[in-house]
Amino acid sequence: MSRMLIKPAAATVSAALQQQQRQQQQYVIRRWKSFLHNNSNNANRRAAKSTAASTAAVAATSQRHGTSGDFIQPLDVRRSFSTSHKMPSSSKALTLDNINPNFIAMEYAVRGPLVIRAGEIEKELEKGVKKPFDQVIRANIGDCHAMGQQPLTFLRQLMALTFETRLLDSPDYPEDVKKRACAILDGCQGQSVGSYTDSAGLEVVRRQVAQYIERRDGGIAADWQNIYLTAGASPGIKSILSMINSEVGSKPPGVMVPIPQYPLYSATISEYGMTKVDYYLEEETGWSLGRKELQRSFDEAKKICNPRALVVINPGNPTGQVLTRENIEEIIKFAHDNKVLVLADEVYQDNVYDKNSKFWSFKKVAYEMGEPYRSLEMVSFLSTSKGYLGECGIRGGYMEVLNLDPKVKAMLTKSITAALCSTTAGQVAVSALVNPPQPGEPSYELYKKERDAILAALKERAELVHKALNSFEGYKVNPVQGAMYVFPQIVIPPKAIEAAKAKGMAPDVFYAFELLETSGICIVPGSGFGQKAGTWHFRSTILPQTDKLKLMMEKFRVFHTEFMKKYK
């Protein structure tokens, strides 16, 4: 049946796709080189220009590419560079012409030009520059604590005791926290978190992770030796992608990613010189994922690469959907039938708000489906940055590796040893995540109160944002079932699209810059995540504290109303 989805001129389409990807990469490389060259030659002159002139320069620098209505986001030309960039390139051993071109081609939207401009605006406000607003609201990235979320007392107490052991004698810390701290310290060389750990992480914490997974999945066994502690989920994801980065049959490796996707994947795939294989989530049915679309994507990609891994983000980022069990079963069957490794990005598993939704781990579903699916090769990821901890800066996470060939797993372990070990602060945070206080322990009541309050507030904000944006003219917004984001579709008026084209911007990028300069709200255009041709979106977090979020939604409403009046 999948063959029916492929156009008759499959070879022509395949060649065109390959050529388009190659041209896009070369375009980005040329664009960055041009940008950096112009930035270096004109550094002093730019420094003397006003903010308004700088904004115009950004618009002039960005360019359109492709033939399907897609645009590249504008590069930021206001960013200052050290004096070394002003020196002739011939005096340097490293130039843009002799470094890895994949470094130039990769882009990471959630920390792109809009965010840089937001930082500049904040500095301008500090200097007294008059704006139509008095603060920048950073809704671009899932940084919980930056948005006012308070850390859990239990986690910070555990970290304090493991890093300053003299506090173990203090009566200010509960006994259950002290007991956990001592268990971690006993697992450290020299009983100090300042020592290296095993490359895969402290055994005591890896065992705790395995016990946590067993509890989560209703008693399904987890082997602590399949657990690798990582500095957040990202290094684990990158280590797996690096491992599969090998040509097979003279074809480059491909990685299937959802569209919309989290830019970590597109950036890493570009950095490693791999092929990104897009499969589209269905917005009309709540960002669901169908097997037919997976097969279409896989079959088409086989013409130019070997799709070796399938990335699934559940709950979704940026889309906020939660996959049904039936959906997950379809995905597992597809992965088995097509022999692809499943990368289950499950970092938002505690962030489920919709009463009709439930998180199912890929491991649990595959196990309960029985053989042959129980033996499916997969890697799942969890992070202390999300959920209810929100400890982004501490960089803690883990991956569970299942059903890999033992020889392949040995190679993965060997590669990880080159990095020595992940940060011990992150490992302690993972311990706090997977081994929390239990009923009857001294820390439990406060822990439960703080955790429940955080999750209740996120649920309230998810509903608030959905209701507010859904009332805007030209907006289509799916309910925020989980994660920390909303990803609405905007119908941008033709006049605004023409104005964006005149500035060399994608319409959603144009909209986002207008929003930032007018209201101080920083979001990320849908272009940075991928979207169906002819549609425009943006991602916003739901993380600002409720009072600030209400203010943000009101500012958003005022801006959008004026935007529509201006460009209708």
Side-chain angles (χ1 to χ4, degrees):
M1 292 180 64
S2 62
R3 291 180 183 175
M4 296 175 63
L5 298 170
I6 303 175
K7 296 179 181 179
T12 303
V13 173
S14 173
L17 176 62
Q18 191 171 23
Q19 180 68 11
Q20 183 183 31
Q21 290 185 343
R22 188 180 300 113
Q23 288 177 343
Q24 180 172 343
Q25 182 185 52
Q26 291 303 315
Y27 179 83
V28 174
I29 291 172
R30 291 196 304 271
R31 183 169 58 107
W32 272 104
K33 287 182 177 181
S34 174
F35 154 58
L36 292 172
H37 175 74
N38 292 336
N39 185 286
S40 176
N41 289 344
N42 300 300
N44 293 330
R45 180 152 48 92
R46 278 199 319 277
K49 288 185 177 180
S50 65
T51 301
S54 296
T55 304
V58 173
T61 304
S62 61
Q63 296 185 37
R64 181 177 180 177
H65 86 98
T67 58
S68 60
D70 294 330
F71 292 77
I72 287 288
Q73 290 194 44
L75 291 167
D76 183 85
V77 297
R78 297 175 296 272
R79 192 173 183 178
S80 60
F81 284 77
S82 66
T83 54
S84 65
H85 286 83
K86 301 173 187 176
M87 298 175 68
S89 60
S90 59
S91 67
K92 296 294 184 181
L94 299 179
T95 70
L96 291 184
D97 293 320
N98 64 24
I99 65 169
N100 185 342
N102 295 332
F103 274 58
I104 310 172
M106 67 178 289
E107 303 206 0
Y108 187 61
V110 296
R111 293 183 182 269
L114 274 155
V115 183
I116 296 170
R117 177 60 187 146
E120 294 174 349
I121 290 174
E122 285 176 330
K123 289 183 171 59
E124 291 170 8
L125 288 171
E126 290 172 3
K127 294 176 181 178
V129 176
K130 296 299 181 182
K131 301 281 183 184
F133 48 87
D134 58 5
Q135 63 176 318
V136 171
I137 301 177
R138 290 178 175 261
N140 62 290
I141 196 166
D143 192 345
C144 305
H145 291 192
M147 291 289 99
Q149 180 176 311
Q150 296 302 302
L152 262 66
T153 301
F154 167 71
L155 180 144
R156 291 301 178 91
Q157 286 181 333
L158 184 63
M159 295 195 69
L161 291 174
T162 50
F163 277 77
E164 179 46 271
T165 56
R166 286 171 292 189
L167 294 176
L168 289 167
D169 297 324
S170 170
D172 296 332
Y173 292 83
E175 289 302 314
D176 56 333
V177 185
K178 290 181 179 179
K179 180 180 178 181
R180 285 169 169 78
C182 288
I184 292 171
L185 291 168
D186 286 345
C188 297
Q189 296 292 324
Q191 291 196 317
S192 172
V193 288
S195 62
Y196 289 126
T197 71
D198 290 342
S199 295
L202 289 165
E203 179 177 331
V204 61
V205 180
R206 293 165 69 198
R207 287 183 179 275
Q208 290 171 355
V209 171
Q211 293 166 2
Y212 163 82
I213 292 172
E214 288 183 6
R215 292 194 304 271
R216 181 198 68 187
D217 291 341
I220 297 171
D223 185 347
W224 68 272
Q225 295 182 87
N226 290 334
I227 308 298
Y228 295 80
L229 303 184
T230 55
S234 300
I237 292 167
K238 296 185 75 169
S239 69
I240 300 298
L241 291 179
S242 178
M243 182 178 68
I244 67 171
N245 190 8
S246 175
E247 285 193 357
V248 177
S250 300
K251 288 183 181 177
V255 180
M256 300 181 68
V257 298
I259 298 299
Q261 55 99 31
Y262 176 49
L264 163 70
Y265 294 101
S266 55
T268 304
I269 291 166
S270 290
E271 180 184 352
Y272 292 170
M274 303 167 79
T275 301
K276 181 165 72 73
V277 179
D278 297 339
Y279 66 86
Y280 287 87
L281 303 179
E282 189 174 284
E283 185 172 9
E284 295 75 18
T285 56
W287 299 111
S288 67
L289 171 56
R291 164 130 192 199
K292 182 182 289 188
E293 169 59 15
L294 284 174
Q295 198 65 55
R296 178 209 63 78
S297 173
F298 181 87
D299 290 343
E300 186 66 26
K302 282 287 288 182
K303 306 295 191 303
I304 62 170
C305 68
N306 278 309
R308 308 197 65 194
L310 168 66
V311 174
V312 185
I313 308 173
N314 181 47
N317 177 10
T319 49
Q321 93 284 8
V322 180
L323 295 179
T324 65
R325 183 186 177 104
E326 292 72 25
N327 220 173
I328 294 173
E329 289 177 356
E330 283 188 89
I331 297 166
I332 289 171
K333 289 176 181 177
F334 163 82
H336 169 267
D337 293 347
N338 292 280
K339 292 187 67 175
V340 294
L341 172 70
V342 171
L343 303 186
D345 185 335
E346 299 175 335
V347 301
Y348 296 101
Q349 60 188 254
D350 286 311
N351 301 110
V352 178
Y353 317 119
D354 178 57
K355 64 181 180 180
N356 298 317
S357 299
K358 179 180 178 179
F359 169 77
W360 298 91
S361 75
F362 268 75
K363 177 185 179 181
K364 178 180 175 66
V365 174
Y367 183 88
E368 292 179 348
M369 288 172 69
E371 296 296 352
Y373 308 112
R374 186 176 292 183
S375 297
L376 182 69
E377 295 160 273
M378 75 170 66
V379 186
S380 64
F381 306 90
L382 188 58
S383 169
T384 63
S385 300
K386 310 305 177 185
Y388 49 87
L389 293 185
E391 297 281 4
C392 298
I394 292 177
R395 309 310 300 138
Y398 74 76
M399 62 180 178
E400 183 184 21
V401 177
L402 295 173
N403 299 319
L404 289 191
D405 183 300
K407 294 178 181 178
V408 172
K409 184 183 172 188
M411 294 302 101
L412 174 63
T413 302
K414 181 178 71 171
S415 73
I416 289 173
T417 62
L420 295 176
C421 68
S422 63
T423 163
T424 52
Q427 295 186 42
V428 173
V430 170
S431 179
L433 172 65
V434 302
N435 188 33
Q438 299 301 307
E441 291 187 309
S443 299
Y444 178 74
E445 290 303 325
L446 178 59
Y447 165 81
K448 183 177 185 300
K449 178 182 176 182
E450 293 177 343
R451 180 199 64 192
D452 292 353
I454 289 169
L455 292 175
L458 287 169
K459 183 178 187 296
E460 177 188 12
R461 292 176 212 151
E463 294 170 351
L464 188 160
V465 168
H466 174 255
K467 182 178 179 180
L469 293 178
N470 220 26
S471 68
F472 292 2
E473 180 185 0
Y475 267 60
K476 296 178 183 177
V477 192
N478 280 317
V480 182
Q481 296 174 318
M484 297 176 173
Y485 315 98
V486 63
F487 196 69
Q489 182 181 153
I490 328 165
V491 177
I492 298 180
K495 282 179 64 177
I497 293 176
E498 290 304 313
K501 287 180 180 179
K503 291 191 173 184
M505 291 183 178
D508 54 351
V509 176
F510 176 77
Y511 182 91
F513 265 108
E514 290 268 307
L515 175 66
L516 176 61
E517 297 288 353
T518 303
S519 67
I521 299 171
C522 182
I523 57 173
V524 187
S527 308
F529 301 93
Q531 53 198 342
K532 286 185 178 178
T535 68
W536 309 107
H537 302 75
F538 67 80
R539 188 190 81 167
S540 171
T541 72
I542 62 170
L543 291 177
Q545 297 299 294
T546 303
D547 289 346
K548 182 175 281 191
L549 190 62
K550 289 179 179 177
L551 172 65
M552 172 179 155
M553 287 295 100
E554 176 58 20
K555 287 186 171 187
F556 219 131
R557 184 192 66 78
V558 172
F559 161 77
H560 184 70
T561 301
E562 293 302 315
F563 183 89
M564 296 300 284
K565 285 181 182 178
K566 182 178 179 181
Y567 291 107
K568 234 176 173 183

